[in-house]
Amino acid sequence: MDRDKEYNQAFTAMARRHERIIFSACFFYASKELPFEDLRQEVLISLFKAYRHFRGQSSESTWVYKVAINTCLFSLRRLTPKFRTLSLEEIGAFGLQSDSTHEYREKLEWLHEMISGLNPMEKALILMWLDELTYDEIANNMGIPRNTVASRLHRIKEKLSSRKEV
């Protein structure tokens, strides 16, 4: 009984430490067919089941990224090939601070729109880059060579910068 309680407490603490990673992955993969809260719950369940097997061979945040993105990608595979992204209003309780400015919200909506237009692999790469992971960390998370990360991110940035900015 104590072992389960300790596991639950340790998992809860880990999930709170990495809630930004979990939120980002779920937010940018959410769609009408795959609502944000459903996706978030799937990620948390996957993390909970896998947490006892975390061996510390990578950083905890790297492991959380892998589980969250893989869960999102797996959930996407179960859907039909057509996806529609959600606006911030459709997601509902988005969690923006009450002191957020209108300009910040517009930029966030623009970023969401731009990232939503990317394919799942591109989304994963740009999300990790936006969270300031190094190319080596991204390569480790995605299981691809560092140079591949660099060239793909360069192409993604070019694609995004060619679109209208806020």
Side-chain angles (χ1 to χ4, degrees):
M1 183 73 128
D2 285 339
R3 188 178 281 167
D4 287 340
K5 186 177 179 181
E6 289 174 19
Y7 179 79
N8 290 342
Q9 289 173 339
F11 170 78
T12 301
M14 180 277 303
R16 285 191 177 135
R17 279 191 303 276
H18 301 292
E19 66 185 320
R20 183 172 168 234
I21 294 170
I22 296 165
F23 178 88
S24 294
C26 296
F27 178 73
F28 286 106
Y29 282 98
S31 66
K32 183 178 181 180
E33 294 83 11
L34 191 59
F36 172 80
E37 280 302 324
D38 291 353
L39 192 53
R40 185 174 164 270
Q41 185 175 19
E42 287 292 324
V43 168
L44 288 171
I45 289 169
S46 294
L47 286 167
F48 183 79
K49 288 179 179 178
Y51 187 59
R52 67 178 79 250
H53 303 292
F54 175 62
R55 296 183 303 255
Q57 293 177 331
S58 62
S59 72
E60 194 176 67
S61 63
T62 296
W63 178 80
V64 170
Y65 261 115
K66 276 187 167 184
V67 173
I69 289 174
N70 285 337
T71 301
C72 291
L73 292 174
F74 179 77
S75 296
L76 285 174
R77 284 187 204 119
R78 293 184 298 192
L79 299 175
T80 59
K82 231 174 178 161
F83 300 103
R84 186 180 85 71
T85 59
L86 298 174
S87 70
L88 294 178
E89 288 75 29
E90 289 175 294
I91 289 177
F94 174 64
L96 281 177
Q97 301 293 333
S98 59
D99 61 341
S100 294
T101 64
H102 180 69
E103 182 180 321
Y104 175 77
R105 184 174 179 89
E106 284 180 352
K107 286 182 180 183
L108 190 58
E109 287 174 343
W110 175 84
L111 182 62
H112 181 265
E113 182 181 331
M114 293 298 103
I115 291 176
S116 294
L118 300 174
N119 71 46
M121 177 65 84
E122 291 172 331
K123 281 182 188 179
L125 290 169
I126 201 70
L127 287 175
M128 287 185 263
W129 179 78
L130 287 170
D131 274 341
E132 300 178 355
L133 269 65
T134 66
Y135 284 9
D136 290 328
E137 291 170 323
I138 296 171
N140 187 33
N141 287 348
M142 299 301 293
I144 57 178
R146 182 195 185 286
N147 290 342
T148 302
V149 169
S151 63
R152 286 185 183 174
L153 278 172
H154 179 74
R155 279 186 249 134
I156 294 166
K157 289 180 216 175
E158 282 183 339
K159 183 189 292 188
L160 292 176
S161 67
S162 69
R163 298 179 183 170
K164 181 182 179 252
E165 294 188 31
V166 172

